Amino acid sequence: MSMRWLLPLLVTLAACSATGGEPAFAEVDPCSLLRPGDAGGLSGTPARSDRVCDFRFDSLTVELTLLEAAFADESRALLSDGGYGGVIAGGEGESNNRPLTRRCAETSGEVRCDAVLEVRERQLVRFEVVQRGTDPNAVGQVVQGLAAKAFERLPK
């Protein structure tokens, strides 16, 4: 193949790969990020409203929201009210780990956890999880597992 054909071929390949593939963050269906088995059986079909999806698992409910905001701002609110930070392993190496902040509290036999995961700069997944019980740490671990599952299913 002569060199004069190489540049047009590369341009064509780049254009094809840019338009195909997985959807961008703004196009992701939030209901595609959790599935039956992630936190028990899924009861019914998840309810979607814009960038929010409500899931009902056997023993807990999850509201998952995709939003574009600064992680520091969203995280600060959780940290100021007793939350703490962690990470979700993003695969190959520590540089791919993603920050997660969560806050869990028990009131009246019910645990509520709020969490925010940074996927990329200004691309966040917010979780609101409610489960009957009195162990915020156990529910917090469930939230962390759900965040890891959602992150795996997002386009990279």
Side-chain angles (χ1 to χ4, degrees):
M1 180 185 303
S2 80
M3 292 302 283
R4 66 186 170 124
W5 295 105
L6 186 57
L7 183 58
L9 177 63
L10 290 175
V11 169
T12 302
L13 288 174
C16 289
S17 65
T19 59
E22 295 191 38
F25 184 79
E27 299 166 348
V28 171
D29 176 359
C31 292
S32 70
L33 299 179
L34 297 179
R35 298 182 183 148
D38 288 347
L42 193 56
S43 303
T45 302
R48 181 173 191 250
S49 169
D50 194 29
R51 305 291 289 153
V52 179
C53 189
D54 294 314
F55 299 86
R56 295 199 180 283
F57 289 95
D58 293 332
S59 63
L60 59 93
T61 60
V62 178
E63 182 180 278
L64 183 149
T65 306
L66 298 176
L67 68 145
E68 295 184 20
F71 177 75
D73 295 340
E74 297 292 320
S75 181
R76 188 176 305 115
L78 297 175
L79 290 170
S80 69
D81 198 18
Y84 62 94
V87 295
I88 297 296
E92 307 169 17
E94 280 186 32
S95 65
N96 293 322
N97 290 348
R98 305 310 312 150
L100 171 82
T101 302
R102 74 175 194 220
R103 176 191 64 220
C104 298
E106 184 269 330
T107 55
S108 303
E110 194 171 79
V111 175
R112 178 188 170 110
C113 291
D114 296 298
V116 63
L117 169 69
E118 182 182 52
V119 177
R120 280 180 286 286
E121 186 173 343
R122 299 199 58 80
Q123 295 181 352
L124 311 177
V125 181
R126 181 186 305 146
F127 298 86
E128 294 177 17
V129 177
V130 178
Q131 183 174 28
R132 299 233 26 100
T134 58
D135 188 353
N137 289 326
V139 180
Q141 291 300 315
V142 170
V143 171
Q144 195 139 341
L146 292 173
K149 291 290 187 185
F151 182 68
E152 284 175 14
R153 295 175 182 137
L154 280 165
K156 301 300 183 246

